[in-house]
Amino acid sequence: MRRGCWKINDEEKAVYIDIEDDGSDHEDNKEYSRWADLPDLLLEKIFSYLSIREKYYASLFVLEDSTLTRGRFNYYSGWQYVLDHLRTQMCLSRVGRNFRHLTFEPMMNFYNLYEFMNMISWYIEQTRLKKIEQSDITGVGCKIRTLKFTFPCDMSTGQEESERLRLFGTGGRLLAGLKRLMSNLELLKRLELIDLMLEPKEAEHLLDEVCEICCLTLRTLILINTTKLQYQILHVGVFLNLEVLMISPQNLGSDVIELIGYTKLKHLHIIQNKYSPDDMLIKPIPERVWKTCRKNNPDLKVHLRVESTTRKALVWQPGAPVKSIIYDSPEICVENDSAMTIVEMYRNDIAVFGHMNLPKIDKAKSFNERADSTLLLLCRLCPKLTTLIITEWISTTTLLLIASTARNLRYLFVRQQAVIKKCDWPQSPDWGDEFYEWLKANSRRYSNVETEISHILGYRWRMLSDGEFQNLEIDMYSNKIY
Protein backbone atom coordinates (compact mmCIF):
# COMPACT_ATOMS: atom_id res chain seq x y z
CA MET A 1 0.00 0.00 0.00
CA ARG A 2 1.31 3.40 -0.96
CA ARG A 3 1.84 6.00 1.72
CA GLY A 4 0.67 9.58 1.30
CA CYS A 5 0.47 12.94 2.98
CA TRP A 6 -1.03 16.39 2.57
CA LYS A 7 0.95 19.28 1.11
CA ILE A 8 0.37 22.93 0.20
CA ASN A 9 0.96 23.55 -3.53
CA ASP A 10 1.97 26.78 -5.24
CA GLU A 11 -1.64 27.95 -5.34
CA GLU A 12 -1.87 27.68 -1.53
CA LYS A 13 -4.23 24.71 -1.79
CA ALA A 14 -3.98 21.47 0.17
CA VAL A 15 -3.31 18.45 -2.08
CA TYR A 16 -2.77 14.81 -1.22
CA ILE A 17 0.39 13.29 -2.72
CA ASP A 18 1.93 9.83 -2.70
CA ILE A 19 5.22 9.20 -0.93
CA GLU A 20 7.66 7.21 -3.00
CA ASP A 21 9.19 4.31 -1.08
CA ASP A 22 12.70 3.53 -2.34
CA GLY A 23 12.95 0.46 -0.16
CA SER A 24 16.20 1.56 1.40
CA ASP A 25 14.63 2.18 4.79
CA HIS A 26 13.06 -0.70 6.61
CA GLU A 27 10.42 0.04 9.20
CA ASP A 28 11.79 -2.58 11.58
CA ASN A 29 15.32 -1.14 11.63
CA LYS A 30 14.33 2.52 11.95
CA GLU A 31 15.18 4.35 15.14
CA TYR A 32 12.81 7.15 16.11
CA SER A 33 13.58 9.97 18.48
CA ARG A 34 11.38 10.35 21.54
CA TRP A 35 10.59 14.02 21.05
CA ALA A 36 6.88 13.26 21.43
CA ASP A 37 7.56 12.32 25.07
CA LEU A 38 8.73 15.83 25.93
CA PRO A 39 6.65 17.80 28.45
CA ASP A 40 3.77 19.80 26.98
CA LEU A 41 5.34 23.14 27.99
CA LEU A 42 8.50 22.39 26.00
CA LEU A 43 6.53 21.24 22.98
CA GLU A 44 4.44 24.40 23.04
CA LYS A 45 7.63 26.48 23.20
CA ILE A 46 9.11 24.62 20.24
CA PHE A 47 5.93 24.90 18.16
CA SER A 48 5.76 28.66 18.82
CA TYR A 49 8.79 29.13 16.51
CA LEU A 50 7.07 27.43 13.55
CA SER A 51 5.42 29.29 10.72
CA ILE A 52 1.75 28.80 9.88
CA ARG A 53 2.61 26.38 7.07
CA GLU A 54 4.96 24.37 9.30
CA LYS A 55 2.31 24.22 12.02
CA TYR A 56 -0.10 22.84 9.42
CA TYR A 57 2.36 20.09 8.46
CA ALA A 58 2.90 19.26 12.12
CA SER A 59 -0.85 18.99 12.68
CA LEU A 60 -1.03 16.13 10.16
CA PHE A 61 0.76 13.84 12.59
CA VAL A 62 -1.38 12.12 15.19
CA LEU A 63 0.38 11.92 18.54
CA GLU A 64 -0.62 9.88 21.52
CA ASP A 65 -2.92 11.87 23.77
CA SER A 66 -1.33 12.32 27.21
CA THR A 67 -4.33 13.92 28.89
CA LEU A 68 -7.04 12.28 30.98
CA THR A 69 -9.57 12.30 28.13
CA ARG A 70 -10.27 10.39 24.95
CA GLY A 71 -12.08 11.27 21.77
CA ARG A 72 -15.70 10.23 21.41
CA PHE A 73 -18.01 10.96 18.49
CA ASN A 74 -21.37 12.50 19.25
CA TYR A 75 -23.96 12.70 16.47
CA TYR A 76 -25.13 16.10 17.75
CA SER A 77 -21.84 17.80 18.70
CA GLY A 78 -19.31 15.82 16.68
CA TRP A 79 -16.03 14.73 18.25
CA GLN A 80 -15.72 15.51 21.96
CA TYR A 81 -13.20 14.72 24.66
CA VAL A 82 -14.68 12.66 27.48
CA LEU A 83 -13.02 11.51 30.67
CA ASP A 84 -11.04 8.31 30.28
CA HIS A 85 -11.54 6.49 33.58
CA LEU A 86 -8.58 4.14 33.05
CA ARG A 87 -6.14 6.98 32.41
CA THR A 88 -7.57 8.94 35.31
CA GLN A 89 -7.20 5.95 37.61
CA MET A 90 -3.57 5.47 36.56
CA CYS A 91 -2.87 9.17 37.12
CA LEU A 92 -4.49 9.23 40.53
CA SER A 93 -2.70 6.08 41.62
CA ARG A 94 0.66 7.71 40.89
CA VAL A 95 0.25 11.30 42.03
CA GLY A 96 -3.19 11.52 43.65
CA ARG A 97 -1.89 11.14 47.19
CA ASN A 98 0.27 14.23 46.72
CA PHE A 99 -2.57 16.57 45.76
CA ARG A 100 -2.72 19.67 47.96
CA HIS A 101 -4.77 22.05 45.81
CA LEU A 102 -7.71 21.13 43.58
CA THR A 103 -8.99 23.77 41.14
CA PHE A 104 -11.94 23.46 38.76
CA GLU A 105 -11.90 26.25 36.20
CA PRO A 106 -15.07 27.10 34.22
CA MET A 107 -15.75 24.29 31.74
CA MET A 108 -18.81 23.41 29.70
CA ASN A 109 -18.31 19.65 29.71
CA PHE A 110 -20.29 18.90 32.87
CA TYR A 111 -19.95 15.15 32.36
CA ASN A 112 -16.14 15.24 32.73
CA LEU A 113 -16.46 17.56 35.70
CA TYR A 114 -19.00 15.38 37.47
CA GLU A 115 -17.15 12.12 36.82
CA PHE A 116 -13.78 13.44 37.98
CA MET A 117 -15.23 14.80 41.24
CA ASN A 118 -16.92 11.47 41.89
CA MET A 119 -13.69 9.56 41.30
CA ILE A 120 -11.81 11.71 43.82
CA SER A 121 -14.64 11.31 46.32
CA TRP A 122 -14.78 7.55 45.84
CA TYR A 123 -11.05 7.09 46.50
CA ILE A 124 -11.22 9.21 49.67
CA GLU A 125 -14.26 7.30 50.92
CA GLN A 126 -12.67 3.91 50.26
CA THR A 127 -9.46 4.96 52.00
CA ARG A 128 -11.43 6.15 55.01
CA LEU A 129 -13.38 2.88 55.16
CA LYS A 130 -10.14 0.91 54.54
CA LYS A 131 -11.70 -1.02 51.68
CA ILE A 132 -8.80 -0.49 49.27
CA GLU A 133 -6.06 -3.07 49.54
CA GLN A 134 -3.78 -1.68 46.82
CA SER A 135 -1.10 0.48 48.42
CA ASP A 136 -0.74 2.61 45.27
CA ILE A 137 -4.32 3.91 45.56
CA THR A 138 -4.55 4.39 49.31
CA GLY A 139 -4.57 8.05 50.37
CA VAL A 140 -5.63 9.57 47.04
CA GLY A 141 -7.02 13.07 47.69
CA CYS A 142 -6.70 12.82 51.46
CA LYS A 143 -4.17 15.68 51.68
CA ILE A 144 -6.14 18.31 49.76
CA ARG A 145 -6.02 21.64 51.59
CA THR A 146 -7.55 23.96 48.96
CA LEU A 147 -10.63 23.50 46.78
CA LYS A 148 -11.68 26.05 44.16
CA PHE A 149 -14.78 25.54 42.04
CA THR A 150 -15.92 28.11 39.46
CA PHE A 151 -19.15 27.49 37.59
CA PRO A 152 -19.59 28.90 34.04
CA CYS A 153 -22.86 30.67 34.81
CA ASP A 154 -22.80 32.91 31.72
CA MET A 155 -24.43 31.03 28.85
CA SER A 156 -24.69 33.97 26.46
CA THR A 157 -23.09 33.52 23.05
CA GLY A 158 -21.09 36.74 23.26
CA GLN A 159 -21.56 37.46 19.55
CA GLU A 160 -23.02 40.89 20.23
CA GLU A 161 -21.88 43.37 22.85
CA SER A 162 -25.48 44.46 23.49
CA GLU A 163 -26.60 40.90 24.20
CA ARG A 164 -27.97 40.46 27.70
CA LEU A 165 -26.29 38.05 30.08
CA ARG A 166 -27.96 34.65 30.24
CA LEU A 167 -27.16 33.42 33.74
CA PHE A 168 -27.78 29.86 34.85
CA GLY A 169 -26.85 28.26 38.13
CA THR A 170 -25.51 24.85 38.94
CA GLY A 171 -27.67 22.24 40.62
CA GLY A 172 -28.92 18.69 40.33
CA ARG A 173 -26.33 15.93 40.10
CA LEU A 174 -23.44 18.35 39.56
CA LEU A 175 -24.22 20.14 42.81
CA ALA A 176 -24.60 16.79 44.55
CA GLY A 177 -21.18 15.73 43.27
CA LEU A 178 -19.64 18.97 44.55
CA LYS A 179 -21.22 18.53 47.99
CA ARG A 180 -20.00 14.94 48.12
CA LEU A 181 -16.45 16.05 47.34
CA MET A 182 -16.50 18.82 49.97
CA SER A 183 -17.82 16.43 52.60
CA ASN A 184 -14.74 14.22 52.14
CA LEU A 185 -12.05 16.91 52.47
CA GLU A 186 -11.40 16.82 56.19
CA LEU A 187 -8.14 18.83 56.04
CA LEU A 188 -9.63 21.68 54.03
CA LYS A 189 -8.25 25.11 54.94
CA ARG A 190 -9.35 27.16 51.91
CA LEU A 191 -12.64 26.80 50.07
CA GLU A 192 -13.68 28.85 47.02
CA LEU A 193 -17.12 28.56 45.43
CA ILE A 194 -17.62 31.11 42.66
CA ASP A 195 -20.73 31.91 40.60
CA LEU A 196 -22.84 28.92 41.62
CA MET A 197 -26.03 31.00 41.20
CA LEU A 198 -28.15 28.66 43.28
CA GLU A 199 -31.75 28.98 44.30
CA PRO A 200 -32.30 29.75 48.01
CA LYS A 201 -33.58 26.21 48.70
CA GLU A 202 -30.40 24.71 47.19
CA ALA A 203 -28.12 27.05 49.13
CA GLU A 204 -29.81 26.30 52.43
CA HIS A 205 -27.85 23.07 52.94
CA LEU A 206 -24.84 23.78 50.70
CA LEU A 207 -22.20 23.81 53.46
CA ASP A 208 -23.77 21.49 56.01
CA GLU A 209 -21.11 18.79 55.67
CA VAL A 210 -18.28 21.33 55.49
CA CYS A 211 -19.44 22.89 58.77
CA GLU A 212 -19.47 19.47 60.39
CA ILE A 213 -15.90 18.47 59.49
CA CYS A 214 -14.11 21.84 59.05
CA CYS A 215 -15.68 24.16 61.60
CA LEU A 216 -12.31 24.55 63.38
CA THR A 217 -9.82 24.08 60.52
CA LEU A 218 -11.12 26.32 57.73
CA ARG A 219 -9.16 29.58 57.47
CA THR A 220 -10.31 31.13 54.16
CA LEU A 221 -13.80 30.95 52.67
CA ILE A 222 -14.76 32.55 49.34
CA LEU A 223 -18.43 32.55 48.32
CA ILE A 224 -19.04 34.76 45.27
CA ASN A 225 -22.60 34.83 43.90
CA THR A 226 -23.66 31.67 45.68
CA THR A 227 -27.29 32.59 44.97
CA LYS A 228 -29.01 34.64 42.28
CA LEU A 229 -31.27 36.45 44.73
CA GLN A 230 -30.69 37.84 48.19
CA TYR A 231 -30.32 35.03 50.70
CA GLN A 232 -28.07 35.06 53.74
CA ILE A 233 -25.85 32.01 54.20
CA LEU A 234 -25.68 31.32 57.92
CA HIS A 235 -22.96 28.69 57.52
CA VAL A 236 -20.22 31.34 57.34
CA GLY A 237 -20.76 32.22 61.01
CA VAL A 238 -20.09 28.66 62.18
CA PHE A 239 -16.39 28.51 61.26
CA LEU A 240 -14.91 29.73 64.53
CA ASN A 241 -11.30 30.10 63.35
CA LEU A 242 -12.07 31.67 59.99
CA GLU A 243 -9.69 34.54 59.19
CA VAL A 244 -10.69 35.66 55.69
CA LEU A 245 -14.22 35.68 54.24
CA MET A 246 -14.99 36.87 50.70
CA ILE A 247 -18.69 36.99 49.97
CA SER A 248 -21.21 38.78 47.76
CA PRO A 249 -23.56 41.32 49.37
CA GLN A 250 -26.71 39.35 48.47
CA ASN A 251 -25.50 36.49 50.69
CA LEU A 252 -25.10 38.65 53.80
CA GLY A 253 -27.73 39.43 56.41
CA SER A 254 -28.18 40.72 59.92
CA ASP A 255 -27.91 37.24 61.43
CA VAL A 256 -24.69 36.51 59.53
CA ILE A 257 -23.03 39.74 60.70
CA GLU A 258 -24.11 39.03 64.26
CA LEU A 259 -22.55 35.56 64.10
CA ILE A 260 -19.34 36.96 62.61
CA GLY A 261 -18.99 39.20 65.64
CA TYR A 262 -18.41 36.12 67.80
CA THR A 263 -15.72 34.59 65.57
CA LYS A 264 -12.04 35.38 65.00
CA LEU A 265 -12.66 36.76 61.51
CA LYS A 266 -10.15 39.46 60.61
CA HIS A 267 -11.00 40.38 57.00
CA LEU A 268 -14.46 40.49 55.44
CA HIS A 269 -14.38 41.15 51.68
CA ILE A 270 -17.74 42.13 50.18
CA ILE A 271 -17.25 41.60 46.44
CA GLN A 272 -19.49 42.39 43.49
CA ASN A 273 -18.68 41.12 40.00
CA LYS A 274 -20.47 41.52 36.69
CA TYR A 275 -22.87 38.67 37.52
CA SER A 276 -23.95 40.10 40.88
CA PRO A 277 -27.48 41.54 41.06
CA ASP A 278 -27.95 45.29 40.89
CA ASP A 279 -27.65 47.37 44.05
CA MET A 280 -31.37 48.18 43.91
CA LEU A 281 -32.15 44.51 44.57
CA ILE A 282 -29.84 44.17 47.59
CA LYS A 283 -30.60 45.47 51.06
CA PRO A 284 -27.57 46.69 53.04
CA ILE A 285 -26.98 45.58 56.60
CA PRO A 286 -28.56 47.96 59.18
CA GLU A 287 -26.12 50.30 60.89
CA ARG A 288 -27.06 49.08 64.38
CA VAL A 289 -26.02 45.52 63.44
CA TRP A 290 -22.60 46.71 62.28
CA LYS A 291 -22.11 48.64 65.51
CA THR A 292 -22.81 45.52 67.55
CA CYS A 293 -20.43 43.51 65.37
CA ARG A 294 -17.67 46.11 65.78
CA LYS A 295 -18.08 45.95 69.52
CA ASN A 296 -17.88 42.15 69.67
CA ASN A 297 -15.08 41.82 67.08
CA PRO A 298 -12.95 45.01 67.16
CA ASP A 299 -10.27 43.49 64.90
CA LEU A 300 -12.67 43.01 61.97
CA LYS A 301 -11.80 44.89 58.76
CA VAL A 302 -14.30 45.19 55.92
CA HIS A 303 -13.20 45.59 52.29
CA LEU A 304 -15.59 46.68 49.53
CA ARG A 305 -14.72 45.79 45.95
CA VAL A 306 -16.40 45.96 42.53
CA GLU A 307 -15.05 43.79 39.68
CA SER A 308 -16.92 44.32 36.44
CA THR A 309 -16.39 45.14 32.80
CA THR A 310 -19.48 47.34 32.86
CA ARG A 311 -20.75 50.07 35.14
CA LYS A 312 -22.04 48.75 38.47
CA ALA A 313 -23.01 50.66 41.61
CA LEU A 314 -21.38 49.78 44.91
CA VAL A 315 -23.57 48.48 47.73
CA TRP A 316 -22.77 50.72 50.70
CA GLN A 317 -22.71 49.31 54.22
CA PRO A 318 -23.46 52.14 56.71
CA GLY A 319 -21.61 51.77 60.00
CA ALA A 320 -19.28 49.00 58.81
CA PRO A 321 -15.54 49.20 59.65
CA VAL A 322 -14.58 49.65 55.98
CA LYS A 323 -10.81 49.81 55.48
CA SER A 324 -10.63 49.68 51.69
CA ILE A 325 -12.78 50.48 48.64
CA ILE A 326 -11.52 49.28 45.27
CA TYR A 327 -13.15 49.67 41.85
CA ASP A 328 -11.81 47.26 39.23
CA SER A 329 -13.80 48.37 36.20
CA PRO A 330 -12.92 50.39 33.08
CA GLU A 331 -16.39 51.98 33.11
CA ILE A 332 -16.33 53.43 36.63
CA CYS A 333 -14.62 56.73 37.40
CA VAL A 334 -14.23 58.92 40.48
CA GLU A 335 -17.54 60.60 41.25
CA ASN A 336 -18.23 63.40 43.69
CA ASP A 337 -21.30 61.66 45.18
CA SER A 338 -19.35 58.49 45.91
CA ALA A 339 -16.52 60.45 47.50
CA MET A 340 -18.95 62.32 49.74
CA THR A 341 -20.54 59.01 50.76
CA ILE A 342 -17.12 57.66 51.72
CA VAL A 343 -16.39 60.74 53.78
CA GLU A 344 -19.75 60.57 55.50
CA MET A 345 -19.66 56.85 56.34
CA TYR A 346 -16.02 55.80 56.57
CA ARG A 347 -13.88 58.89 57.10
CA ASN A 348 -12.36 57.49 60.31
CA ASP A 349 -11.78 53.98 58.91
CA ILE A 350 -10.90 54.13 55.21
CA ALA A 351 -7.23 53.38 54.49
CA VAL A 352 -7.19 52.24 50.83
CA PHE A 353 -9.09 53.78 47.92
CA GLY A 354 -8.58 53.55 44.21
CA HIS A 355 -9.44 52.34 40.72
CA MET A 356 -7.47 49.37 39.39
CA ASN A 357 -8.26 49.31 35.68
CA LEU A 358 -7.49 51.45 32.66
CA PRO A 359 -10.49 53.68 31.93
CA LYS A 360 -12.52 53.35 28.74
CA ILE A 361 -14.55 56.48 29.37
CA ASP A 362 -13.64 59.50 27.28
CA LYS A 363 -13.28 62.21 29.86
CA ALA A 364 -12.31 65.82 29.21
CA LYS A 365 -8.95 67.13 30.39
CA SER A 366 -10.34 70.43 31.64
CA PHE A 367 -9.92 71.13 35.34
CA ASN A 368 -13.64 71.55 36.01
CA GLU A 369 -14.49 68.11 34.59
CA ARG A 370 -11.64 66.20 36.20
CA ALA A 371 -11.66 64.59 39.64
CA ASP A 372 -8.70 66.58 41.04
CA SER A 373 -10.66 68.56 43.60
CA THR A 374 -12.66 65.48 44.66
CA LEU A 375 -9.53 63.43 45.29
CA LEU A 376 -7.88 66.23 47.23
CA LEU A 377 -10.98 66.66 49.38
CA LEU A 378 -11.00 62.92 50.08
CA CYS A 379 -7.37 63.08 51.22
CA ARG A 380 -8.09 66.03 53.50
CA LEU A 381 -11.13 64.56 55.24
CA CYS A 382 -9.90 60.96 55.61
CA PRO A 383 -6.96 61.13 58.01
CA LYS A 384 -6.20 57.37 57.97
CA LEU A 385 -5.84 57.13 54.18
CA THR A 386 -2.56 55.33 53.43
CA THR A 387 -3.02 54.14 49.84
CA LEU A 388 -4.46 56.02 46.86
CA ILE A 389 -4.66 54.59 43.33
CA ILE A 390 -5.57 56.99 40.51
CA THR A 391 -6.23 55.98 36.91
CA GLU A 392 -7.90 59.12 35.52
CA TRP A 393 -6.58 62.42 34.20
CA ILE A 394 -4.84 64.40 36.92
CA SER A 395 -2.41 67.31 36.94
CA THR A 396 1.08 67.41 38.40
CA THR A 397 -0.04 70.17 40.77
CA THR A 398 -2.77 67.95 42.20
CA LEU A 399 -0.26 65.17 42.84
CA LEU A 400 1.95 67.56 44.80
CA LEU A 401 -1.07 68.79 46.77
CA ILE A 402 -2.20 65.25 47.57
CA ALA A 403 1.26 64.22 48.75
CA SER A 404 1.59 67.28 50.98
CA THR A 405 -2.01 67.18 52.29
CA ALA A 406 -2.60 63.52 53.16
CA ARG A 407 -0.84 63.14 56.48
CA ASN A 408 -0.59 59.34 56.57
CA LEU A 409 -0.32 58.67 52.84
CA ARG A 410 2.25 55.98 52.18
CA TYR A 411 1.47 54.64 48.70
CA LEU A 412 0.42 56.79 45.74
CA PHE A 413 -0.02 55.14 42.35
CA VAL A 414 -0.76 57.03 39.13
CA ARG A 415 -0.41 56.40 35.41
CA GLN A 416 2.18 58.63 33.79
CA GLN A 417 0.15 58.78 30.58
CA ALA A 418 -2.74 60.29 32.55
CA VAL A 419 -0.70 63.01 34.28
CA ILE A 420 -0.96 66.52 32.84
CA LYS A 421 1.99 68.89 33.31
CA LYS A 422 0.11 71.96 34.35
CA CYS A 423 -0.46 74.26 37.30
CA ASP A 424 -4.21 74.80 36.98
CA TRP A 425 -5.03 75.46 40.63
CA PRO A 426 -5.72 79.08 41.64
CA GLN A 427 -3.93 80.21 44.76
CA SER A 428 -5.90 79.43 47.90
CA PRO A 429 -6.03 81.85 50.84
CA ASP A 430 -4.56 79.06 52.98
CA TRP A 431 -1.45 78.85 50.81
CA GLY A 432 1.47 81.15 51.26
CA ASP A 433 3.25 82.74 48.33
CA GLU A 434 6.28 80.54 48.88
CA PHE A 435 4.19 77.37 48.81
CA TYR A 436 2.38 78.43 45.63
CA GLU A 437 5.65 79.24 43.92
CA TRP A 438 6.88 75.80 44.93
CA LEU A 439 3.83 74.27 43.26
CA LYS A 440 4.25 76.21 40.04
CA ALA A 441 7.99 75.55 39.79
CA ASN A 442 7.83 71.78 40.35
CA SER A 443 4.68 71.06 38.34
CA ARG A 444 6.37 71.81 35.01
CA ARG A 445 8.39 68.57 34.83
CA TYR A 446 7.71 64.97 35.68
CA SER A 447 11.17 64.56 37.16
CA ASN A 448 10.61 67.44 39.60
CA VAL A 449 7.28 66.00 40.70
CA GLU A 450 8.81 62.57 41.32
CA THR A 451 11.68 64.12 43.29
CA GLU A 452 9.42 66.20 45.54
CA ILE A 453 6.94 63.39 46.21
CA SER A 454 9.85 61.03 46.96
CA HIS A 455 11.06 63.53 49.54
CA ILE A 456 7.60 63.72 51.14
CA LEU A 457 6.89 59.96 51.20
CA GLY A 458 10.40 59.04 52.30
CA TYR A 459 11.27 56.64 49.48
CA ARG A 460 11.98 56.77 45.75
CA TRP A 461 8.62 57.38 44.11
CA ARG A 462 7.83 57.36 40.40
CA MET A 463 4.85 57.26 38.06
CA LEU A 464 3.86 53.95 36.50
CA SER A 465 3.47 52.90 32.91
CA ASP A 466 0.15 51.40 31.82
CA GLY A 467 1.63 47.91 31.86
CA GLU A 468 2.93 48.33 35.41
CA PHE A 469 -0.39 49.81 36.51
CA GLN A 470 -2.37 46.87 35.15
CA ASN A 471 -0.11 44.41 37.01
CA LEU A 472 -0.56 46.25 40.30
CA GLU A 473 -1.64 44.04 43.18
CA ILE A 474 -2.61 44.96 46.73
CA ASP A 475 -2.02 42.85 49.80
CA MET A 476 -4.70 43.99 52.24
CA TYR A 477 -3.31 41.93 55.07
CA SER A 478 0.27 43.23 55.26
CA ASN A 479 -0.38 46.67 53.69
CA LYS A 480 2.12 45.91 50.94
CA ILE A 481 1.63 46.79 47.29
CA TYR A 482 3.72 45.20 44.53
Side-chain angles (χ1 to χ4, degrees):
M1 181 180 294
R2 283 183 172 271
R3 294 181 299 159
C5 70
W6 289 94
K7 182 180 179 181
I8 303 296
N9 61 11
D10 296 336
E11 299 179 358
E12 298 296 329
K13 294 183 178 180
V15 295
Y16 189 83
I17 62 173
D18 294 330
I19 300 178
E20 297 292 335
D21 191 358
D22 55 2
S24 58
D25 294 330
H26 298 283
E27 198 71 15
D28 297 336
N29 299 328
K30 266 191 176 180
E31 293 184 3
Y32 294 93
S33 63
R34 302 187 61 185
W35 63 271
D37 297 333
L38 290 173
D40 293 342
L41 293 177
L42 292 180
L43 287 175
E44 291 176 2
K45 187 66 175 178
I46 295 173
F47 274 68
S48 65
Y49 294 102
L50 300 180
S51 63
I52 296 179
R53 175 176 294 186
E54 292 169 339
K55 289 179 180 178
Y56 172 75
Y57 288 152
S59 67
L60 300 178
F61 293 88
V62 179
L63 302 180
E64 182 180 359
D65 191 2
S66 59
T67 64
L68 303 180
T69 59
R70 58 182 174 84
R72 182 179 180 182
F73 185 78
N74 185 293
Y75 283 102
Y76 178 76
S77 303
W79 283 100
Q80 290 183 323
Y81 288 102
V82 298
L83 188 69
D84 191 317
H85 293 77
L86 179 59
R87 291 181 182 178
T88 305
Q89 180 180 352
M90 294 175 61
C91 174
L92 293 178
S93 64
R94 293 187 179 183
V95 298
R97 65 176 58 87
N98 300 320
F99 287 172
R100 297 294 189 276
H101 306 276
L102 190 58
T103 301
F104 295 98
E105 296 294 341
M107 58 183 300
M108 300 305 298
N109 195 324
F110 297 154
Y111 171 80
N112 290 350
L113 184 61
Y114 174 75
E115 289 295 318
F116 184 80
M117 288 192 299
N118 279 342
M119 289 191 69
I120 295 288
S121 300
W122 185 84
Y123 282 122
I124 298 176
E125 292 167 356
Q126 298 304 310
T127 301
R128 187 181 304 162
L129 298 175
K130 298 182 180 180
K131 291 185 177 181
I132 297 182
E133 299 179 356
Q134 300 96 323
S135 59
D136 57 340
I137 298 180
T138 304
V140 171
C142 294
K143 296 181 180 180
I144 295 177
R145 304 291 197 276
T146 301
L147 174 63
K148 179 180 179 181
F149 182 89
T150 305
F151 183 74
C153 63
D154 186 6
M155 301 296 178
S156 56
T157 59
Q159 297 178 354
E160 298 181 4
E161 296 182 359
S162 59
E163 182 181 4
R164 296 182 59 185
L165 295 178
R166 299 171 58 194
L167 301 182
F168 294 87
T170 184
R173 298 180 64 182
L174 186 59
L175 179 60
L178 176 61
K179 293 177 63 177
R180 178 187 178 188
L181 177 62
M182 292 190 297
S183 65
N184 288 309
L185 303 180
E186 297 180 346
L187 302 179
L188 203 61
K189 291 187 177 181
R190 183 185 180 93
L191 176 61
E192 303 182 30
L193 302 177
I194 302 174
D195 296 334
L196 296 186
M197 294 292 181
L198 301 175
E199 297 295 335
K201 292 183 179 179
E202 296 174 325
E204 183 177 358
H205 302 286
L206 175 64
L207 300 177
D208 286 352
E209 293 81 5
V210 180
C211 293
E212 181 180 353
I213 63 176
C214 301
C215 63
L216 298 177
T217 59
L218 199 66
R219 296 294 185 269
T220 302
L221 178 61
I222 301 177
L223 301 174
I224 307 298
N225 294 333
T226 304
T227 60
K228 300 178 182 179
L229 305 176
Q230 185 159 14
Y231 178 80
Q232 60 176 340
I233 301 178
L234 298 176
H235 300 87
V236 300
V238 180
F239 302 101
L240 302 180
N241 295 321
L242 194 65
E243 297 178 356
V244 178
L245 173 61
M246 299 184 183
I247 193 169
S248 298
Q250 71 266 25
N251 299 133
L252 288 176
S254 300
D255 296 337
V256 172
I257 300 302
E258 185 176 354
L259 289 172
I260 288 176
Y262 296 100
T263 64
K264 298 180 181 179
L265 187 67
K266 297 180 180 179
H267 298 276
L268 173 59
H269 298 258
I270 304 178
I271 300 177
Q272 301 168 246
N273 64 12
K274 63 179 180 179
Y275 304 128
S276 301
D278 296 333
D279 62 320
M280 300 298 294
L281 304 176
I282 303 175
K283 297 180 180 179
I285 308 300
E287 186 175 357
R288 57 178 178 80
V289 178
W290 281 115
K291 289 183 178 180
T292 304
C293 181
R294 295 181 68 157
K295 182 179 179 181
N296 297 330
N297 189 356
D299 296 330
L300 178 64
K301 299 178 177 62
V302 178
H303 309 277
L304 305 181
R305 187 181 182 97
V306 174
E307 300 174 351
S308 177
T309 55
T310 59
R311 185 175 181 83
K312 184 175 288 291
L314 182 69
V315 178
W316 304 103
Q317 301 291 342
V322 175
K323 302 299 180 182
S324 70
I325 298 177
I326 297 295
Y327 293 93
D328 191 356
S329 173
E331 301 290 340
I332 302 178
C333 58
V334 178
E335 297 179 351
N336 187 63
D337 294 341
S338 299
M340 291 300 99
T341 303
I342 294 173
V343 172
E344 180 183 355
M345 294 183 179
Y346 317 121
R347 62 182 301 173
N348 295 322
D349 295 311
I350 187 73
V352 180
F353 175 77
H355 293 69
M356 298 290 295
N357 214 317
L358 301 183
K360 292 184 178 180
I361 301 176
D362 295 332
K363 206 168 184 180
K365 295 184 180 180
S366 62
F367 179 79
N368 294 330
E369 298 188 21
R370 298 202 312 261
D372 296 44
S373 57
T374 302
L375 291 171
L376 184 59
L377 180 64
L378 190 68
C379 294
R380 284 179 177 174
L381 299 180
C382 299
K384 294 184 179 180
L385 190 66
T386 61
T387 303
L388 183 62
I389 307 171
I390 306 172
T391 185
E392 302 179 31
W393 292 110
I394 192 171
S395 68
T396 52
T397 309
T398 305
L399 292 178
L400 293 171
L401 288 172
I402 288 175
S404 58
T405 301
R407 290 170 290 178
N408 295 315
L409 188 65
R410 179 62 179 166
Y411 301 103
L412 176 62
F413 292 90
V414 296
R415 298 167 45 231
Q416 183 173 358
Q417 294 186 5
V419 177
I420 304 172
K421 290 187 289 185
K422 190 175 183 181
C423 182
D424 45 8
W425 281 83
Q427 185 173 359
S428 173
D430 299 333
W431 303 343
D433 295 337
E434 184 179 354
F435 179 76
Y436 192 63
E437 289 297 329
W438 173 78
L439 285 177
K440 292 194 296 184
N442 292 293
S443 61
R444 297 169 183 170
R445 294 184 178 181
Y446 291 143
S447 58
N448 292 348
V449 174
E450 293 178 344
T451 301
E452 293 300 323
I453 294 181
S454 299
H455 178 72
I456 296 173
L457 297 182
Y459 64 91
R460 186 179 180 275
W461 180 87
R462 66 181 181 86
M463 306 175 193
L464 302 179
S465 64
D466 285 354
E468 293 173 330
F469 190 88
Q470 286 182 307
N471 295 327
L472 194 63
E473 295 184 9
I474 304 178
D475 186 356
M476 297 295 183
Y477 314 130
S478 61
N479 293 326
K480 291 183 180 179
I481 301 184
Y482 48 91

